[in-house]
Amino acid sequence: MICTDCLSYYTSAVEAAEDGEQLVTPGWDRLTDAEMLGTLPKIAADAAQVDRFLRQWVSLIRERRISYAEIGKALGVSRQAAWERFSRVVDVQDDDDARSGTA
C-alpha cells in the first residue's frame, strides 16, 4: 500500500540508484506544518487498511490450522505476541463462522 506520489518517487530513486546516483530522501522536511498535518489522516487510513488486511490474512492462515508460533515466527515476534494481537479478532471470527455454518 503506497500512494502514487511515493511510488513515483521511489521508482525514480531506485532507477537513479541503479544508474549509480546517490539516493536522496523525499522532501518531507520541506513540507509546511499544515501539509504535514494534512497528511496524517492519509497515513492513518493506510495503516488501518493494512491492519485489516493483515488480520484477514492471519484469519486465512488460522483456517489452515497453522499455529500462532509459526505466525509469530513469520512476523518476527513471539507466539504470545502473535496470539495477543490476532486471537481476539481472528478466533472470534472463526467461532462465529462455525456457529453460522460458513466455516
Side-chain angles (χ1 to χ4, degrees):
M1 311 290 175
I2 187 170
C3 73
T4 305
D5 292 338
C6 292
L7 181 61
S8 296
Y9 169 79
Y10 285 108
T11 299
S12 63
V14 168
E15 289 170 354
E18 290 171 353
D19 293 336
E21 294 179 28
Q22 185 177 7
L23 287 176
V24 294
T25 60
W28 296 327
D29 57 334
R30 294 187 297 269
L31 294 177
T32 67
D33 292 351
E35 290 169 326
M36 293 289 287
L37 290 169
T39 302
L40 279 178
K42 296 174 188 175
I43 294 170
D46 289 346
Q49 183 179 13
V50 168
D51 189 61
R52 282 191 306 274
F53 184 65
L54 180 59
R55 289 178 187 283
Q56 290 170 351
W57 198 255
V58 170
S59 181
L60 291 171
I61 290 169
R62 290 291 296 152
E63 286 177 10
R64 294 182 177 200
R65 304 293 185 231
I66 296 172
S67 72
Y68 280 107
E70 291 179 82
I71 294 168
K73 184 177 178 182
L75 293 172
V77 300
S78 68
R79 179 210 62 84
Q80 184 68 25
W83 182 84
E84 286 177 3
R85 181 169 182 190
F86 300 109
S87 68
R88 290 180 199 97
V89 176
V90 171
D91 291 344
V92 168
Q93 184 178 0
D94 290 347
D95 290 344
D96 290 345
D97 290 345
R99 280 191 287 273
S100 67
T102 60

